[in-house]
Amino acid sequence: MFFALLAVTFLVAVAVSFGTVRLFDRPIASLLGRIVADELSGAWHRYIKFAAYVVGVSGGVRIHDLERYVSAPKNDEEILILTPERWTLEVYRTVIETIQGIAWVFLLVFMLALVAYVLVRGFELRRGRTPRTEP
C-alpha cells in the first residue's frame, strides 16, 4: 500500500504542478519579456517553470511524512495503517503543499520582477526614452 500511496502522491503533485504552471505561463512570459532582453527571456522562462515543477513536486511528495507508514517514528509507537480516511488526507495534503510551494516560488519571482521593473522603468525615464511596450 505504501508504494501505491507514494505513486499517487507523486502523480497528483505532478498534475497539480502542471496545471498551476500552465495557469501562470503567459503572465510570467510577458513579465520576463518586459524586464529581460529577448535573448534571455526564453531561458529564464524555462528555468522558472522548471523551478516551479521541482518545488511543487518536492513540496507535495513529503517523503519524511510518508515514512510513518513504513516505520514507527519512535520504538514504542505503532506503524500507521493506510485507511481510506488517511488516503484522502494524504492526497489533500499533497494538493495543498504542492500549490503552496509553487505559490512561494511565484511570489519570489514576482517580487524580484517588480523590483527589476521599477529599476528598468527608472533607467528608461532617466535616459528620456519612451518605455518599451509589451510584445
Side-chain angles (χ1 to χ4, degrees):
M1 274 309 236
F2 169 76
F3 294 114
L5 178 64
L6 184 62
V8 166
T9 56
F10 178 77
L11 292 174
V12 166
V14 168
V16 170
S17 295
F18 177 78
T20 307
V21 168
R22 181 127 171 128
L23 183 68
F24 287 93
D25 192 36
R26 284 191 184 187
I28 290 173
S30 65
L31 184 69
L32 289 173
R34 171 72 176 106
I35 295 171
V36 182
D38 291 336
E39 309 86 45
L40 296 175
S41 66
W44 274 101
H45 185 228
R46 245 184 261 133
Y47 175 73
I48 290 170
K49 284 172 47 173
F50 173 73
Y53 279 117
V54 169
V55 170
V57 171
S58 66
V61 182
R62 301 156 330 279
I63 298 297
H64 181 68
D65 290 341
L66 295 178
E67 285 178 356
R68 300 174 301 165
Y69 300 108
V70 176
S71 60
K74 297 179 184 173
N75 292 338
D76 56 347
E77 294 180 10
E78 293 182 16
I79 296 175
L80 294 177
I81 305 299
L82 281 170
T83 62
E85 292 83 12
R86 288 199 192 273
W87 270 89
T88 304
L89 286 173
E90 290 297 333
V91 169
Y92 178 75
R93 189 177 295 154
T94 298
V95 170
I96 295 300
E97 295 286 332
T98 301
I99 293 172
Q100 186 178 26
I102 294 173
W104 279 110
V105 168
F106 286 163
L107 178 66
L108 180 65
V109 166
F110 284 117
M111 285 176 53
L112 293 174
L114 179 63
V115 170
Y117 177 78
V118 168
L119 291 174
V120 167
R121 180 91 168 132
F123 286 130
E124 286 174 347
L125 292 175
R126 181 174 273 178
R127 289 184 187 163
R129 292 186 354 188
T130 57
R132 287 183 2 193
T133 58
E134 289 187 30

